[in-house]
Amino acid sequence: MIVLELMNVTEIVLRLAAVAAILLITYVVAKLFSAILGRAMRGAPPLIVDQAVKTVSLFVWAVGLLLAVNQLGLNLDVLLVLLAVAGVGLIVAARDLLSNILTKVFMGTFIPVKVGDYISVNGFSGKVVEINHVATVILMEDDSIAAIPNSRFVKEVSVNKTSVAPQRISIPVSIPAKVSPPKAEAELLKLAYRYKSRLDQRFPPIFTIKNRGPNSVEGELDLLVADPELREALTAELSAKVKELLVRLEREVASK
Amino acid sequence: MRLAVCSQTPLIRVLSEGLSQRDYVDVGQLEIDRDYVFSPGGVTRMVYPLLLHMKSQNMAEDVYWVSLNPKAPPKMVYNGIKLIAVKVDESSLKSYGAVKEHMWRLFHGTADQSIPPLIELAWRDEYAYFNLYNRVCAETLFQLDKEEDLDLFYIHDFQQLPTGYMLQSLKPKIFRWHIPFDEKAIPPDWEPFLTKFLNAYDAIIVSCRTYLNTLVKRGYKGRAYHIYPYIDFSEYKRPGRAEVESFCEKFRINDDDFVVLLVARLDPLKGHDTAVKALAHLVKRYPGLKFVFVGNGSFSSSSKGLGLDKAGAWRAKVSEIAEVLGVSDKVVFTGHLPQNMLDAAYERCDVFILPSRAEGFGLVVAEAWLHEKPVIVSSAAGISEIVEHMKTGFIVDPNNVEEVAGAVEYLLVNEDARREMGVLGRRAVEVLSIERGLKEESEVLNTVAEGFQ
């Protein structure tokens, strides 16, 4: 109040105008970020997208409000501390959810579990019918379902009873929008054919499209390694080759 | 119902080069034989009437035909059916065509040492382009569904099998397998590879009961149906005397010739060589014998289609065999015939023969029955399932030339048997009527579209 008394009317008007401008910009930025995030997560479940958009929007508004308050010449220290405490509280509260989402990234590649497999984990056994961002859903023998939090797969021993599971390699592939997916797929298969001697020849490689985004088409190259001991080494080598191939294809398109 | 058919064979083959530059063409505005031709072959002859029937009965409001058509505009409309062209570059198409031909021979059980087994084929670079063709089809269907919100996908023929697996949609999918699905040609070790694709379909339709058994035996878990292929009887007119005479004049067939007719595309599988060898067995005793071969190449095997001129090579080979056996003056190659001339050929012949080494079904036998002709049918043809040996026709081993010659001779010397067999054949053909086929097939399509309970 003392600060305000010292200001002349022009300064007050200017500061209020700056606050209004900041709030307007905050509104636009929040909308923009929400739209971008919504598009980027088009393939994700709507509930997750909704939560992510709300969190980002909240963050943008928090920053905007801080800047606005700062314009009014108020002390920000207490507000910043409160926000930091709230942020830490949020992370602590959502840590289980976050670890589940994070573990989903490794499912299939480093944790050999896929939809259709027969697995046993955390005392539950059955057929995997769904792997979502939070849990892996299995259909048990008595027709009941069990939702195993994904994070359990990094904390506990899971047993995959599917006959080909020890041999299976799934390489995530992100085909840039500029590259034709059918052509990229043909090149990916030809690349995989070169490793024929290391692979189980009863099962030729196969590529599956999983998601389509504005910037890329997400897919998976599935193969079966002949010797399970080579699984990790072959995954690493093929993943690197796939990346190189996609970069080359993108360059070829750009140069045309 | 909004239905999308996907088949390699286009409904319409565009002839006019300039049309590919246009975005959209109404085929009704074009001139047949100058700008386009109706694609011959089993798929178009069965599926086109089915679609028209479904439209006329209000069972399908919108129908799309997605097919390989490199020279066509991206979109056309023909008789209310929207035609969507699939385009693949020429070099990819060549590899695709080579793999398809190998597969075709594998599934027919006639592959020689030069052709690797199916699983080995799927490790070759050419297979990546076979895969590419199917991916382009799947992407085209996916895009079409996005734009038109389809209810059902109906995918045709073995070369399109991966399309359903690749098509990222949970909408119902039906697959029609047109060629043989014979246990003897499909070993159990192909099962993991095949079932992955087969089980992507909600239902599969095959042409014969025996193929249905193999399908289940080889691990297909969905709904499986067998529906005999069918033809529209009204399309086959008994030709007048003048048309028959014109046919005979054109191909130098005399009144006293005993004509044995074979209608099939020129392909080693069709057994033209067996027919020529059987002819050589008989010609000394029956100099009036004449074998007439009607047909050319298919969309794949002709130089005007995918450019694999298998037909030309096979004609040369059969001519060479006839030359060596001294019967070349008794063999007539007519090439492709228009419907009126084909009817005249059926009318003029004394016996119809189909000595195929493998045959998905063999509707030409039904055509011969419509003309009340006695038939000699290979035991490897699907239609042999409904031929009653020595009643409606002869069933012969296509690898046994003596047996084939014996059947021809029996019919040659027994005029009454020929006449009686023709009459009984005309009755037997009723099971292959378009009315029955359309009823059965549209029932399956409806059941699948509505969902199994």
Side-chain angles (χ1 to χ4, degrees):
Chain A
M1 292 302 283
I2 298 162
V3 178
L4 285 173
E5 277 169 21
L6 293 173
M7 289 177 185
N8 59 37
V9 177
T10 318
E11 199 178 348
I12 291 170
V13 170
L14 278 173
R15 285 196 174 203
L16 284 173
V19 167
I22 287 169
L23 291 177
L24 187 70
I25 291 167
T26 305
Y27 172 79
V28 173
V29 172
K31 281 276 174 198
L32 196 71
F33 273 38
S34 301
I36 292 170
L37 199 67
R39 273 180 165 236
M41 295 180 72
R42 200 184 286 170
L47 191 69
I48 302 280
V49 179
D50 196 37
Q51 289 305 315
V53 166
K54 274 184 187 161
T55 309
V56 167
S57 188
L58 204 70
F59 177 76
V60 172
W61 273 108
V63 172
L65 284 173
L66 281 175
L67 290 172
V69 169
N70 192 32
Q71 276 299 312
L72 294 173
L74 294 175
N75 192 345
L76 290 178
D77 295 351
V78 179
L79 260 172
L80 280 172
V81 169
L82 279 173
L83 266 175
V85 169
V88 170
L90 196 74
I91 289 169
V92 170
R95 71 184 190 283
D96 284 342
L97 192 69
L98 289 173
S99 68
N100 285 330
I101 293 170
L102 214 78
T103 309
K104 164 84 165 62
V105 178
F106 303 112
M107 304 283 277
T109 312
F110 296 106
I111 304 162
V113 172
K114 291 190 83 176
V115 170
D117 285 358
Y118 285 89
I119 63 161
S120 184
V121 64
N122 213 16
F124 297 95
S125 293
K127 185 183 180 183
V128 178
V129 289
E130 183 185 324
I131 303 174
N132 60 45
H133 285 76
V134 180
T136 296
V137 182
I138 61 171
L139 179 66
M140 297 196 290
E141 273 180 13
D142 61 356
D143 278 346
S144 59
I145 58 164
I148 321 275
N150 290 336
S151 58
R152 284 281 137 205
F153 286 86
V154 284
K155 289 177 188 158
E156 305 220 358
V157 175
S158 61
V159 179
N160 194 327
K161 297 169 185 170
T162 313
S163 60
V164 294
Q167 296 172 270
R168 202 170 48 208
I169 295 177
S170 288
I171 297 171
V173 178
S174 179
I175 302 171
K178 286 178 192 164
V179 179
S180 140
K183 281 196 177 149
E185 180 177 359
E187 294 302 319
L188 283 165
L189 291 178
K190 280 159 63 185
L191 169 68
Y193 296 159
R194 277 175 224 136
Y195 289 84
K196 185 181 172 189
S197 63
R198 298 275 180 230
L199 297 168
D200 187 331
Q201 293 176 22
R202 294 171 302 163
F203 301 91
I206 197 147
F207 177 76
T208 315
I209 290 179
K210 299 280 179 189
N211 279 313
R212 292 153 205 272
N215 303 318
S216 62
V217 169
E218 307 298 324
E220 204 171 74
L221 181 64
D222 291 314
L223 316 111
L224 287 185
V225 64
D227 178 1
E229 282 182 28
L230 285 177
R231 192 180 166 272
E232 197 189 342
L234 200 58
T235 306
E237 187 168 327
L238 260 168
S239 300
K241 293 278 183 194
V242 165
K243 267 187 196 151
E244 276 172 31
L245 172 72
L246 293 169
V247 169
R248 179 171 63 79
L249 291 175
E250 198 175 14
R251 274 196 200 134
E252 278 174 13
V253 174
S255 68
K256 274 178 190 169
Chain B
M1 187 197 298
R2 297 160 83 82
L3 168 72
V5 165
C6 181
S7 140
Q8 180 207 279
T9 314
L11 187 59
I12 296 297
R13 272 197 229 174
V14 172
L15 302 175
S16 180
E17 292 285 337
L19 288 175
S20 62
Q21 308 301 321
R22 287 158 62 176
D23 292 334
Y24 176 84
V25 165
D26 180 352
V27 181
Q29 309 290 317
L30 305 178
E31 195 178 311
I32 192 162
D33 290 333
R34 188 196 66 185
D35 300 320
Y36 74 94
V37 285
F38 188 85
S39 287
V43 176
T44 43
R45 287 185 86 167
M46 274 171 54
V47 183
Y48 177 56
L50 171 74
L51 300 181
L52 292 182
H53 169 80
M54 290 183 74
K55 273 181 85 70
S56 69
Q57 300 293 311
N58 293 324
M59 289 158 76
E61 51 182 297
D62 278 311
V63 179
Y64 301 85
W65 187 300
V66 176
S67 60
L68 182 63
N69 214 344
K71 290 173 188 165
K75 287 181 182 178
M76 297 192 285
V77 65
Y78 178 71
N79 222 348
I81 298 170
K82 291 159 191 162
L83 314 177
I84 315 288
V86 168
K87 311 255 181 187
V88 175
D89 66 89
E90 215 165 290
S91 66
S92 303
L93 210 52
K94 217 161 203 172
S95 298
Y96 156 77
V99 171
K100 186 208 136 181
E101 284 302 304
H102 285 346
M103 280 189 171
W104 192 83
R105 291 186 64 179
L106 286 167
F107 284 121
H108 280 82
T110 57
D112 57 24
Q113 295 297 315
S114 67
I115 296 174
L118 183 66
I119 310 299
E120 215 180 301
L121 194 62
W123 283 96
R124 296 199 169 179
D125 279 2
E126 291 83 6
Y127 185 84
Y129 297 100
F130 174 82
N131 197 79
L132 179 145
Y133 166 70
N134 275 278
R135 175 65 72 191
V136 176
C137 288
E139 291 293 289
T140 309
L141 289 169
F142 179 82
Q143 200 54 40
L144 189 65
D145 181 39
K146 219 167 142 187
E147 289 163 15
E148 308 294 344
D149 194 17
L150 303 166
D151 295 302
L152 182 70
F153 299 100
Y154 191 16
I155 298 167
H156 286 262
D157 231 351
F158 73 99
Q159 67 269 42
Q160 300 278 170
L161 184 63
T163 302
Y165 176 85
M166 291 173 170
L167 177 56
Q168 211 189 355
S169 169
L170 293 177
K171 301 256 181 80
K173 300 170 201 158
I174 303 180
F175 187 72
R176 176 69 134 129
W177 186 278
H178 291 270
I179 61 169
F181 200 83
D182 195 341
E183 203 179 335
K184 285 178 220 145
I186 302 170
D189 56 328
W190 293 5
E191 211 176 291
F193 182 72
L194 276 180
T195 50
K196 181 177 60 199
F197 295 126
L198 292 170
N199 284 321
Y201 294 93
D202 299 273
I204 294 181
I205 306 173
V206 290
S207 300
C208 304
R209 207 173 297 119
T210 44
Y211 303 161
L212 191 72
N213 294 338
T214 311
L215 190 65
V216 176
K217 218 178 241 181
R218 289 287 173 264
Y220 177 60
K221 292 186 172 66
R223 289 285 180 109
Y225 300 87
H226 99 267
I227 299 175
Y228 290 130
Y230 42 86
I231 49 173
D232 186 351
F233 295 173
S234 67
E235 279 182 14
Y236 299 87
K237 307 270 185 311
R238 296 299 286 260
R241 201 189 166 102
E243 278 167 311
V244 176
E245 277 173 2
S246 151
F247 167 78
C248 292
E249 200 182 316
K250 187 172 180 187
F251 296 106
R252 293 181 189 163
I253 293 164
N254 302 320
D255 287 349
D256 54 353
D257 283 342
F258 187 87
V259 176
V260 178
L261 178 71
L262 197 169
V263 180
R265 73 171 174 277
L266 286 168
D267 188 292
L269 265 194
K270 301 292 181 180
H272 297 83
D273 53 337
T274 307
V276 169
K277 286 172 190 166
L279 169 69
H281 262 72
L282 301 167
V283 81
K284 274 186 190 162
R285 278 177 288 139
Y286 307 102
L289 255 178
K290 200 159 259 181
F291 274 42
V292 176
F293 297 151
V294 176
N296 238 332
S298 65
F299 183 66
S300 302
S301 63
S302 72
S303 52
K304 284 179 185 167
L306 291 184
L308 309 161
D309 194 11
K310 200 164 66 173
W314 182 237
R315 180 177 170 154
K317 177 79 183 165
V318 176
S319 301
E320 190 191 319
I321 295 169
E323 190 76 47
V324 169
L325 296 173
V327 293
S328 52
D329 59 326
K330 304 286 180 190
V331 176
V332 178
F333 290 94
T334 69
H336 172 75
L337 291 181
Q339 191 60 48
N340 62 332
M341 288 286 264
L342 181 63
D343 284 331
Y346 278 119
E347 192 64 25
R348 173 60 186 87
C349 81
D350 296 286
V351 171
F352 180 84
I353 187 169
L354 185 70
S356 308
R357 294 185 173 88
E359 183 77 54
F361 193 69
L363 273 175
V364 283
V365 173
E367 294 175 355
W369 274 340
L370 278 175
H371 289 84
E372 294 189 20
K373 297 297 171 181
V375 296
I376 298 169
V377 183
S378 159
S379 56
I383 199 168
S384 65
E385 196 173 288
I386 51 172
V387 174
E388 279 187 84
H389 187 58
M390 299 285 282
K391 279 188 180 171
T392 55
F394 272 91
I395 301 173
V396 293
D397 175 357
N399 300 310
N400 189 337
V401 175
E402 286 79 15
E403 196 180 329
V404 176
V408 175
E409 187 175 16
Y410 177 85
L411 290 169
L412 193 150
V413 297
N414 289 292
E415 199 182 339
D416 290 345
R418 287 205 303 272
R419 199 176 306 113
E420 199 179 329
M421 228 174 232
V423 171
L424 291 173
R426 181 63 189 83
R427 278 184 218 153
V429 79
E430 288 298 330
V431 76
L432 305 174
S433 75
I434 194 165
E435 290 77 18
R436 181 205 53 86
L438 295 182
K439 185 175 169 284
E440 287 182 14
E441 199 145 343
S442 45
E443 269 171 19
V444 171
L445 263 63
N446 264 334
T447 312
V448 176
E450 283 165 14
F452 308 114
Q453 295 299 320

